[in-house]
Amino acid sequence: MRIRIATPCVVSAVFASAVLLTACGSESARPEGVRPAGGGEGRTAVPSGPEKDGVRITGSIGSSGQAASADFEVTNRDTEPFTYTITFEVLSDSGGVMTNERQTVFSVGPGRTVKDTVRTHTPGRVRVGKVRRVPSAEAPDGTGACPPSGVRVTADEGDAAMGLRVLGLHLENCGTRPYTVEGYPLLGLLDEDRKPVSGVGILHGSGDIATMKAFDEPPRPVVLKPGETASAGLMWRNTTGAGDAVNVPYVRVEAKPGAQPMTVAPELDLGTTGKLGVGPWKKETPQREGVRPLALVVGAAKGGGGSSQSRAA
């Protein structure tokens, strides 16, 4: 079973359980024998094509004119479990990208291969566009269970206007005791290989990037009761000038010194500015109708395709 949600989104806390198919390293994120929705679709073997970061297409579903779907598999060749977020692209007959579908496969064990299916709402051909993979110990586990630390960190989709980017980090107390933070989240900027990125200054507050009161207010102690959340904003510009533009796919976040780190994949396109502003943690209140969240204050919310999640055993 798969839970489908609209994008943009924060990763959901409700996910599907996986079924172990064999004991020889292959798993499936859908129950064996379950056919795709519609019942009349047939699977067609297609050339697997190039593998991208352990993900490859293994077959297509349906026929010309029908919504594009494809079988795929994820292979983890590392020595620890990884969670994969895959962006699939739907191509037109001319090869242009019409839309995309994002799917997350949780906790693929070392040396394991997980099989699943991606379904879209657009006719065309499916290919693997982008793969982001995070150590499962630093990512949501796909069951909704609270980490041993008692808190979880996620990032929203953010927003942009005239080169200014704003994105929100969200800290949830999913444990049973109050959790206190004060100050700013500790950030580690990581490249495609999850290695540290150098040459970027992480500034407390707006750092003259833009004038935004929420970033420059002094930090105060925040006590989160179970079920409560706090947020902190990231701000940057993707202006490019002399030198190479810096892209940061991953950010490793510690809610406070000594906290269990969590890794998110917000895709920071920092340009050549060399600056990233971070605001202090603030307790979030239930959003009122008509009030826009932090990440949407600089422009209209982004649109996009769909997103779904599945979990490997």
Side-chain angles (χ1 to χ4, degrees):
M1 180 179 72
R2 184 183 292 107
I3 305 298
R4 184 170 297 279
I5 55 180
T7 55
C9 67
V10 175
V11 177
S12 172
V14 183
F15 302 102
S17 297
V19 176
L20 184 65
L21 287 182
T22 70
C24 58
S26 179
E27 305 170 17
S28 176
R30 63 175 182 274
E32 185 176 10
V34 173
R35 295 181 58 82
E41 294 177 314
R43 282 179 166 79
T44 303
V46 297
S48 61
E51 180 181 284
K52 179 172 288 189
D53 296 328
V55 181
R56 69 186 183 100
I57 301 291
T58 59
S60 63
I61 306 172
S63 58
S64 178
Q66 293 183 329
S69 298
D71 292 328
F72 68 94
E73 63 183 27
V74 180
T75 300
N76 179 9
R77 296 184 176 87
D78 270 284
T79 57
E80 62 178 316
F82 271 79
T83 289
Y84 292 72
T85 298
I86 309 150
T87 301
F88 294 95
E89 297 172 338
V90 181
L91 307 180
S92 65
D93 292 339
S94 63
V97 178
M98 297 184 292
T99 187
N100 59 70
E101 186 84 11
R102 192 171 60 189
Q103 190 152 318
T104 302
V105 180
F106 292 92
S107 196
V108 180
R112 308 296 293 182
T113 294
V114 173
K115 299 178 180 180
D116 202 0
T117 299
V118 58
R119 299 182 178 88
T120 76
H121 301 284
T122 306
R125 178 171 60 89
V126 179
R127 76 176 178 190
V128 179
K130 180 171 61 180
V131 178
R132 294 293 180 240
R133 48 197 300 270
V134 173
S136 296
E138 298 182 8
D141 71 356
T143 67
C146 189
S149 64
V151 294
R152 59 169 63 96
V153 176
T154 56
D156 59 35
E157 291 289 328
D159 200 17
M162 301 296 289
L164 178 65
R165 309 287 199 253
V166 177
L167 177 143
L169 298 176
H170 303 272
L171 174 68
E172 177 191 358
N173 181 358
C174 55
T176 58
R177 300 177 180 178
Y179 189 85
T180 301
V181 289
E182 182 177 2
Y184 303 84
L186 306 178
L187 307 179
L189 308 184
L190 307 178
D191 64 14
E192 294 263 358
D193 298 318
R194 295 178 306 284
K195 303 298 183 183
V197 172
S198 60
V200 177
I202 299 176
L203 311 174
H204 289 172
S206 62
D208 295 325
I209 297 169
T211 301
M212 195 170 291
K213 181 180 178 181
F215 280 74
D216 292 320
E217 293 177 351
R220 295 179 176 85
V222 176
V223 180
L224 299 178
K225 298 177 182 178
E228 292 185 330
T229 59
S231 64
L234 304 183
M235 179 198 300
W236 71 100
R237 289 190 182 274
N238 74 329
T239 308
T240 56
D244 296 327
V246 175
N247 293 307
V248 178
Y250 303 100
V251 177
R252 203 164 187 247
V253 182
E254 294 179 45
K256 60 183 178 180
Q260 169 67 33
M262 300 292 286
T263 299
V264 295
E267 309 287 346
L268 308 183
D269 54 343
L270 300 179
T272 57
T273 62
K275 293 195 297 185
L276 175 66
V278 55
W281 287 119
K282 296 181 180 182
K283 183 179 290 189
E284 292 185 319
T285 57
Q287 187 177 333
R288 302 187 305 275
E289 185 176 356
V291 175
R292 311 179 81 195
L294 171 66
L296 303 181
V297 297
V298 296
K302 294 178 182 178
S307 177
S308 59
Q309 300 83 30
S310 52
R311 175 174 170 81

